[in-house]
Amino acid sequence: MGMRDEILEQPAVVERLLGEQRASMAKLAARLRRRAIDSVVIAARGTSDHAAIYAQYVLGTRHRLPVALAAPSVLSLYGTAPRFRRALVVGISQSGASPDVVGILEAARAQGAPTIAITNDPRSALAEAADEVVDLAAGPERAVAATKTYTAELAAVALLSSALLGRKADSAAMDRLPTALARGLEAEADAQRAAVAQRSISHAVVLGRGYEYATAREWALKLQELTQVLTAPYSAADFQHGPIALTGPGLPVFAVVSGGAASADIAAVLRRLRKLGADLLVVSNRRALREAGARSLAVPGGIAEWLMPIVSIVPCQLHALHLARARGLDPDAPRHLRKVTRTT
Amino acid sequence: MGMRDEILEQPAVVERLLGEQRASMAKLAARLRRRAIDSVVIAARGTSDHAAIYAQYVLGTRHRLPVALAAPSVLSLYGTAPRFRRALVVGISQSGASPDVVGILEAARAQGAPTIAITNDPRSALAEAADEVVDLAAGPERAVAATKTYTAELAAVALLSSALLGRKADSAAMDRLPTALARGLEAEADAQRAAVAQRSISHAVVLGRGYEYATAREWALKLQELTQVLTAPYSAADFQHGPIALTGPGLPVFAVVSGGAASADIAAVLRRLRKLGADLLVVSNRRALREAGARSLAVPGGIAEWLMPIVSIVPCQLHALHLARARGLDPDAPRHLRKVTRTT
C-alpha cells in the first residue's frame, strides 16, 4: 500500500464517511445548536490546516460565521490561551497527536467552550481532549503525504455544515461526490504527461481563489513534500498585490479554478499571466478555463461549487505523485519526513 | 525619493507616530473598553496582511483575544458578510483604497460592530467606512514596495495594545524603538555583501516563528516584489510538517529569529537545516543564533520580544533592496506592479 493506492481509495473513503457519519453528525449538530456560538476557532497544522481553510470558506459563506485559524504558537510558545467566549473550537489532525493542536482543544474545553475533534484516530489525544469526535474512518494512512485523510477531512466539514443547516438539497449534492472522485482519478494519464514535460523545473507558483484557495495550498504542499520543487501558493487576489512581479517567460504557474464566483476574476489573472509568458497548467471543471493553460487537467462537472475542493484536489495529488516519479524520486519515501510531526 | 529613502525614514516615522498618536489612541481605547468585545476580525491584503498577522500574535498573547484574519473573498466573491457579534473589526491598508477590505468594514459598521481603520490616508474610503481612524501619518509612500507604512502599521498595533492594557512599562519599551530602528539600518553593508554573494539564486525558503512569523512573511513578499526570486515563507513549525523535504545541499534559507520564546525551537530547526546542507542567512538580535548561519545580519538588542518585529524587518528590507540591485534590477520599478492594487 503506497500513496497511489491511498489516492485511489478516496471515492470509497468519502462514500463510507457520508454513509456512516450522517446520522451521528445530525445528532452532533442538534447538540451544537443548543449552544450560543458567535464564531469558530480552528487549530490544525500541515495538510489539516488546508481543511481548516476550506472550513473557513464553508462556515463563512454558508453560516456567516467569522472563523479564526488559531496560531497554535500563541499557546505553545507564549503560554496564553485565548478566551474562547461563545466560540466553537475545532481541532483537525489525521493522527490526533500534535501537542500544539491538542493544547488548544484542552484549553478550550477547560473554559467550557464546545469542542470538536476531526481525526482519523478516535482514540488519539485530540479525540480525548474534545467533547465531540468526528471519526474519519479512512483506514490507516501509511504514506507520509496525506491524501485520503485530506479529502475525508473536507467531507467531514461539508457534512457538519449540512447537518447544522439541515438542508435536504445538500444531501443529494454530497451523494454525487464518490462518483465525481472516481472520475477525477481519470486525469492520471494527463497528469503524468504534464509531469514528464515539467520534470526539470525547480520552482513554481500555485494559484487558487475562494473555495479553491485551500486546494492551491494543499497542491503546493504535496509538491513540496514529494517533488523537491519549491512552490509558493497564493490566492489569485494576493498574488496581484506583489508576487506577480515574479512572472517572467517560462515561470511555471499551476492554477486550480472551478466555475463559480471566483472564476471570472481568476480567468483575468490567467490571461495576464499567459501574456507575460508564464507556463500555465490549469486544473478545472470548465473547458473554457482549461483552455487558458498550455496544459490542463480535467475535473468532473456536476458538483456544487462549495463541494468542488473535495474533488479538484484529486488531479493535483496525481500530478504531484507523477512529478516526483518523473524526477526519479519515490513518492512513498520523501526525504526528511516522518508520518507524524509533533511540533509544540 | 525612492524605496531606500523610505527605509531610512522609518526611525522618524515611528517616532512621530508614537509621539503624535499616543493621546488619541488612549481616547480610542477608552471608547473601545465600553464595548463588549470577545474576538477581533482583521481585513487586509499584501503587506498589510503581515501587520494583521503581527496583530494576531499581539492581541492573542497580551489580550487573550481570538483573532480571525478575514478572508475578504467570502464577502467580495460570495456576497455574504459574516455576522460580527461582539467582534472588533479592523481594516489595515496603506492606501485605504482596496474595495474588498473596505467592503468588510462597511458590512461590520452596518451591523453595529466597532470598527477601526489603520491607514496612511485618513480621507480614504477605508477611513470613511470606519468609526475610528488611526492615521499612520507616514508621509506619502511613493515606492511600490511598502516599507515605512509597514513599520508604522506595526507600531500602530503596538500602540493600540498598550493603550487597551494601560501598562506604563509599555511606553518606556516603545520609546526605545526609534533608536533601535536607526541602529537596524547599520546592517546595510552586511545586507549588501550577503546580497552580492546570493545574486544568482532562483528561489529561497524564508522562516520565522511566533512574533517573527509576520517578519518572515513580509521579507518573503519584499523579495518577490523586488528580486524575481521565488520565496516561500513558513513558520518553522509548519515547515517541519512537510516542506522540510525541499531541503538539500545549497538550498537558500533565510531565517529571522529573535531571542525569546520561539528561539530554542527555531534554533533546533536551523541546526537541522545546516546539517542537511542548506545555505543559511540568519537575521537575529542574538549572536548565538546568528552564528548558526553561514551569513547573518544583526538586529539591535534591548527591545521587548513583542516589539521585535518592528525592528527586525529593517535588515530584511535592506537585504531585499540590495538583492534586487545585485541582480541588476531597479527596486523602484518592480515589473507588473502599481502602487495601489484594487482587488475585489
Side-chain angles (χ1 to χ4, degrees), chain B residues 13-64:
Chain B
V13 165
V14 169
E15 184 164 27
R16 185 164 65 230
L17 180 82
L18 295 177
E20 292 180 1
Q21 300 288 327
R22 202 164 289 181
S24 59
M25 196 68 94
K27 286 181 201 157
L28 191 166
R31 290 190 292 272
L32 276 185
R33 272 194 294 265
R34 291 197 289 270
R35 306 292 298 257
I37 293 169
D38 287 347
S39 67
V40 180
V41 175
I42 308 181
R45 287 277 191 202
T47 287
S48 299
D49 204 28
H50 307 147
I53 292 171
Y54 175 66
Q56 187 177 32
Y57 280 86
V58 169
L59 298 171
T61 58
R62 289 166 49 91
H63 303 255
R64 300 187 61 192

Side-chain angles (χ1 to χ4, degrees), chain A residues 37-38 41 45-46 56-57 60-61 63-64 66-69 71 73-74 76-78 80-83 85-86 98 111 202-205 209-211 221 224-225 228-232 234-235 237-238 240-248 261-262 272 276 305 335-337 341 343-344, chain B residues 37-38 41 45-46 56-57 60-61 63-64 66-69 71 73-74 76-78 80-83 85-86 98 111 202-205 209-211 221 224-225 228-232 234-235 237-238 240-248 261-262 272 276 305 335-337 341 343-344:
Chain A
I37 293 169
D38 286 348
V41 176
R45 287 277 190 202
Q56 186 177 33
Y57 281 85
T61 57
H63 304 256
R64 300 186 63 193
V67 179
L69 305 183
S73 309
V74 168
S76 62
L77 295 181
Y78 301 106
T80 44
R83 285 193 198 87
R85 293 194 187 110
R86 302 169 66 93
S98 205
Q111 293 177 32
S202 63
H203 56 277
V205 165
R209 195 171 174 195
Y211 276 112
L221 180 60
Q224 287 168 337
E225 289 173 325
Q228 301 176 13
V229 172
L230 185 89
T231 52
Y234 292 99
S235 96
D238 286 323
Q240 296 173 78
H241 280 265
I244 196 168
L246 291 165
T247 313
R272 188 167 175 213
L276 297 174
E305 185 181 2
R335 59 180 172 179
H336 318 323
L337 293 178
T341 306
T343 48
T344 52
Chain B
I37 293 169
D38 287 347
V41 175
R45 287 277 191 202
Q56 187 177 32
Y57 280 86
T61 58
H63 303 255
R64 300 187 61 192
V67 179
L69 305 182
S73 308
V74 168
S76 62
L77 294 182
Y78 301 105
T80 44
R83 286 192 197 88
R85 294 192 186 113
R86 302 169 65 93
S98 206
Q111 294 177 31
S202 63
H203 56 278
V205 165
R209 194 171 175 196
Y211 277 112
L221 180 59
Q224 286 168 337
E225 290 172 325
Q228 300 176 12
V229 171
L230 185 88
T231 53
Y234 292 98
S235 97
D238 286 322
Q240 296 173 77
H241 281 265
I244 195 167
L246 292 165
T247 314
R272 187 168 176 212
L276 297 175
E305 184 180 2
R335 60 181 172 178
H336 317 325
L337 293 178
T341 306
T343 48
T344 52

Side-chain angles (χ1 to χ4, degrees), chain A residues 83-134:
Chain A
R83 285 193 198 87
F84 298 109
R85 293 194 187 110
R86 302 169 66 93
L88 167 67
V89 181
V90 182
I92 310 179
S93 169
Q94 179 274 130
S95 69
S98 205
D100 46 7
V101 175
V102 175
I104 295 278
L105 271 277
E106 286 173 342
R109 196 183 199 178
Q111 293 177 32
T115 49
I116 303 179
I118 298 178
T119 176
N120 203 30
D121 183 354
R123 283 172 305 278
S124 61
L126 188 70
E128 282 293 314
D131 305 325
E132 306 275 3
V133 179
V134 178

Side-chain angles (χ1 to χ4, degrees), chain A residues 45-235:
Chain A
R45 287 277 190 202
T47 286
S48 299
D49 205 28
H50 308 148
I53 293 171
Y54 175 65
Q56 186 177 33
Y57 281 85
V58 170
L59 298 172
T61 57
R62 289 166 49 92
H63 304 256
R64 300 186 63 193
L65 283 164
V67 179
L69 305 183
S73 309
V74 168
L75 175 61
S76 62
L77 295 181
Y78 301 106
T80 44
R83 285 193 198 87
F84 298 109
R85 293 194 187 110
R86 302 169 66 93
L88 167 67
V89 181
V90 182
I92 310 179
S93 169
Q94 179 274 130
S95 69
S98 205
D100 46 7
V101 175
V102 175
I104 295 278
L105 271 277
E106 286 173 342
R109 196 183 199 178
Q111 293 177 32
T115 49
I116 303 179
I118 298 178
T119 176
N120 203 30
D121 183 354
R123 283 172 305 278
S124 61
L126 188 70
E128 282 293 314
D131 305 325
E132 306 275 3
V133 179
V134 178
D135 180 4
L136 298 173
E141 187 173 60
R142 298 213 163 79
V144 170
T147 53
K148 66 178 179 176
T149 56
Y150 175 68
T151 42
E153 285 169 355
L154 298 195
V157 167
L159 205 51
L160 175 64
S161 167
S162 169
L164 283 169
L165 291 175
R167 279 194 206 147
K168 285 258 183 261
D170 286 348
S171 292
M174 287 191 293
D175 285 342
R176 290 192 200 104
L177 285 169
T179 307
L181 281 159
R183 287 186 49 217
L185 294 169
E186 295 169 11
E188 183 163 15
D190 286 340
Q192 183 171 15
R193 265 190 294 276
V196 168
Q198 297 165 333
R199 67 186 178 280
S200 305
I201 64 173
S202 63
H203 56 277
V205 165
V206 185
L207 297 180
R209 195 171 174 195
Y211 276 112
E212 296 291 15
Y213 176 55
T215 312
R217 291 280 300 264
E218 175 61 7
W219 188 5
L221 180 60
K222 291 306 106 170
L223 291 163
Q224 287 168 337
E225 289 173 325
L226 301 175
T227 68
Q228 301 176 13
V229 172
L230 185 89
T231 52
Y234 292 99
S235 96

